[in-house]
Amino acid sequence: MLITRPNHDPATNYLYFWSQELIYQAKKQNKKVVDLAKKRANAKEFSSVVKKIQPSLVVFNGHGDDSTVSGYNDEPLVSAGKNEFILKNIIVYARSCRSAKILGPKSIKAGCKTYIGYNDDFVFMTEDDKITQPLNDKTAEIFLKPSNYVVISLLKGHTTGNADKRSKEIIKQNIQKLTLSSATKEDAELIPYLTWNYLHQVCLGNIEATI
């Protein structure tokens, strides 16, 4: 597994910390992990590592747009029409905004096995007083635990389609919890954002692929 973990702003810093669980799970499953953390999440190093180790799974954490996933300081790592071919024979999970809209389909056309990502923005809410302690942020957990489960499912040997489905099931469970009478008004206000992620998380390509 190759994972990118830039941490140059509050949003990427949250993903940086919440991705620690994915590294732990991969090592627990005896999978080799290359962690492009912080400034190592740059285009030169990403390209070099992919060519050298030919990972079966690439996990992107970072900002993105319709055609791009980015690394540290928003440097493009993979861009449609430029280097999507680098994802050939790889299963991808891109925890970034919008990249499954154009980059995802282009990557599949170029030989990527499966591209799991978002065809619109990926959103998560945070608590102001937890900004320096992302792992203690229970609001962020409601959003980031389900997204983590895409990768955890793949590491456990599930198919890409199944991993996508299991992740969405956890989103649904979280939504149901927030509809209970015991939920606060602030909790209930998270439901539209969870629903948004549920609707815009897509699994492109071979839904039977495994790592």
Side-chain angles (χ1 to χ4, degrees):
M1 180 175 87
L2 169 59
I3 185 167
T4 66
R5 293 195 303 143
N7 66 337
H8 57 278
D9 63 14
T12 55
N13 194 51
Y14 264 76
L15 301 184
Y16 171 88
F17 279 101
W18 277 91
S19 291
Q20 289 175 350
E21 181 186 13
L22 307 181
I23 295 169
Y24 169 78
Q25 289 290 343
K27 290 180 176 177
K28 189 177 175 183
Q29 302 290 336
N30 294 315
K31 302 281 193 285
K32 181 182 177 183
V33 179
V34 176
D35 177 21
L36 295 185
K38 304 180 180 180
K39 292 183 179 180
R40 288 192 69 201
N42 61 73
K44 183 179 179 182
E45 193 141 8
F46 176 78
S47 178
S48 174
V49 170
V50 171
K51 290 171 184 174
K52 184 177 180 181
I53 70 167
Q54 298 181 318
S56 56
L57 173 64
V58 168
V59 180
F60 291 108
N61 290 288
H63 295 293
D65 58 34
D66 293 3
S67 303
T68 309
V69 286
S70 301
Y72 193 81
N73 276 344
D74 299 336
E75 179 184 3
L77 302 181
V78 184
S79 299
K82 183 180 179 184
N83 66 335
E84 69 270 19
F85 56 83
I86 199 170
L87 301 175
K88 186 176 181 180
N89 297 322
I90 293 172
I91 292 171
V92 171
Y93 173 52
R95 184 154 52 181
S96 61
C97 291
R98 315 185 75 92
S99 71
K101 191 167 187 178
I102 294 175
L103 177 60
K106 289 258 190 183
S107 299
I108 296 299
K109 196 172 181 181
C112 174
K113 283 186 181 178
T114 315
Y115 194 104
I116 302 173
Y118 303 87
N119 60 18
D120 211 310
D121 291 340
F122 170 73
V123 298
F124 64 95
M125 302 295 119
T126 62
E127 298 168 29
D128 290 342
D129 61 344
K130 297 294 192 301
I131 200 77
T132 59
Q133 301 171 298
L135 294 176
N136 294 328
D137 191 327
K138 294 299 182 184
T139 299
E141 181 178 355
I142 293 170
F143 294 86
L144 298 180
K145 275 282 187 183
S147 61
N148 269 2
Y149 211 74
V150 174
V151 179
I152 291 169
S153 296
L154 291 171
L155 291 169
K156 289 181 176 180
H158 293 286
T159 65
T160 48
N162 210 319
D164 175 58
K165 186 178 178 181
R166 284 166 173 263
S167 167
K168 287 179 174 176
E169 283 299 319
I170 296 177
I171 297 176
K172 283 168 68 174
Q173 289 170 18
N174 285 349
I175 290 172
Q176 287 167 357
K177 288 175 188 174
L178 296 177
T179 61
L180 298 175
S181 57
S182 57
T184 65
K185 179 175 178 288
E186 289 77 12
D187 286 341
E189 287 172 352
L190 301 175
I191 293 173
Y193 301 102
L194 282 166
T195 304
W196 176 273
N197 285 346
Y198 182 93
L199 293 173
H200 293 287
Q201 181 175 308
V202 296
C203 182
L204 309 175
N206 181 3
I207 63 171
E208 299 297 328
T210 57
I211 62 171

